[in-house]
Amino acid sequence: MLAGGAENPISELGIAGFNACKALSTKFGQFPERASRPYDIDRDGFVMGEGAGALTLKRLSDAIRDGDNIQAVIRGVGASSDGRGKGITAPSTRGQIQAVGRAYMQAGYDSSTVQLIEAHGTSTVVGDATELTSLSAAFENTPSGESVAVGSIKSQIGHLKAAAGIAGLIKAIRAVETATIPPSAGFSTPNENIEWTSNPFYVPTEPQDWITPNNHPRRAGISSFGFGGTNFHCAIESFDTHFHTQLADEFDTRRRAW
């Protein structure tokens, strides 16, 4: 099957709406290079963008059988709704933690094995701090220190809104496939509202070689949040023929039993 998202065009109504809720960067017009700076001390909102993306999805055992070029394996998807909260754009730590936790529960492995998070990262004052606080709680089994890279594609192409999730997912897929930790643009000084010393996250500013773990594939998580408290997190990993052939056989055995 095909799955994706598209956002086009940027409308005057959309600009007015995001501006009214103080989500847009006020520095873009005067300082384009300073806009959309997720997790930076100088963040003040995002720049909107347009785009589209799509993925070809296939059952793992079928893709292996057919000899397909498998770029990544989706192991789990978690979702939650904050319900009636503080407002249409007010993020909830509890809701985000639920979505992340459910993704790794479905994936069948602990978040401590994840080395990259492609975050929602809107570069807003409240949003970035809330997201890193939520991730810190969801990654409580990961020791503090710079061991998990976190970034947001919004720093490079802006906020694609309806296509933001697919853009982040494509970026993460390419990262696990090419064994490269991708950089996040515009980051220089860490956001002062985030407890960096007590969490495992860091923001890479240059591409880094991704050393493959000894006992499992390269793993990444992708977060995408929406209006009204919709939270989604996707757990993916790089494809390994031996590892995933065994995994596919286990999945098929369970499926037949059901």
Side-chain angles (χ1 to χ4, degrees), residues 35 98 112 177 217 243 249:
Q98 284 181 331
S112 61
E177 180 185 22
F243 181 90
D249 290 342

Side-chain angles (χ1 to χ4, degrees), residues 80 82 87-91 120 159 161 224-232:
S80 71
D82 297 340
I88 193 171
T89 61
H120 189 57
H159 194 342
K161 301 175 291 301
S224 188
F225 309 138
F227 273 163
T230 53
N231 307 298
F232 293 91

Side-chain angles (χ1 to χ4, degrees), residues 11-249:
S11 67
E12 294 85 350
L13 182 61
I15 293 173
F18 280 112
N19 186 61
C21 62
K22 302 185 185 302
L24 296 184
S25 171
T26 60
K27 300 173 182 176
F28 180 65
Q30 188 175 4
F31 306 105
E33 73 283 358
R34 296 176 63 188
S36 290
R37 306 182 71 176
Y39 311 111
D40 190 83
I41 194 172
D42 202 28
R43 77 282 176 242
D44 79 326
F46 58 79
V47 174
M48 290 201 290
E50 298 176 341
L55 300 176
T56 302
L57 304 177
K58 195 170 185 178
R59 181 181 291 135
L60 181 59
S61 57
D62 292 348
I64 294 173
R65 178 200 63 202
D66 296 341
D68 293 330
N69 176 30
I70 303 173
Q71 293 180 280
V73 179
I74 297 175
R75 291 291 303 272
V77 177
S80 71
S81 174
D82 297 340
R84 187 172 62 184
K86 299 176 183 177
I88 193 171
T89 61
S92 162
T93 300
R94 181 187 176 200
Q96 292 178 14
I97 293 172
Q98 284 181 331
V100 175
R102 288 168 179 171
Y104 296 113
M105 183 180 296
Q106 187 181 87
Y109 55 76
D110 194 81
S111 59
S112 61
T113 63
V114 176
Q115 294 175 287
L116 171 67
I117 293 293
E118 172 59 25
H120 189 57
T122 55
S123 191
T124 56
V125 174
V126 177
D128 286 3
T130 300
E131 183 174 15
L132 260 293
T133 298
S134 302
L135 285 171
S136 296
F139 279 66
E140 61 181 357
N141 293 331
T142 305
S144 59
E146 296 184 352
S147 60
V148 182
V150 60
S152 171
I153 198 172
K154 295 176 181 66
S155 69
Q156 289 134 337
I157 62 174
H159 194 342
L160 304 192
K161 301 175 291 301
I166 193 67
L169 185 53
I170 290 173
K171 178 185 170 186
I173 287 171
R174 290 292 293 151
V176 299
E177 180 185 22
T178 62
T180 302
I181 298 291
S184 191
F187 181 85
S188 59
T189 305
N191 184 326
E192 75 281 14
N193 295 321
I194 298 172
E195 297 292 336
W196 297 98
T197 58
S198 60
N199 67 48
F201 306 108
Y202 71 99
V203 181
T205 56
E206 297 290 339
Q208 302 172 8
D209 292 335
W210 191 338
I211 307 302
T212 304
N214 293 326
N215 57 345
H216 61 78
R218 295 179 293 275
R219 288 172 174 165
I222 304 93
S223 288
S224 188
F225 309 138
F227 273 163
T230 53
N231 307 298
F232 293 91
H233 190 82
C234 183
I236 69 169
E237 62 188 11
S238 58
F239 176 71
D240 177 272
T241 303
H242 178 69
F243 181 90
H244 286 104
T245 297
Q246 290 185 319
L247 188 66
D249 290 342

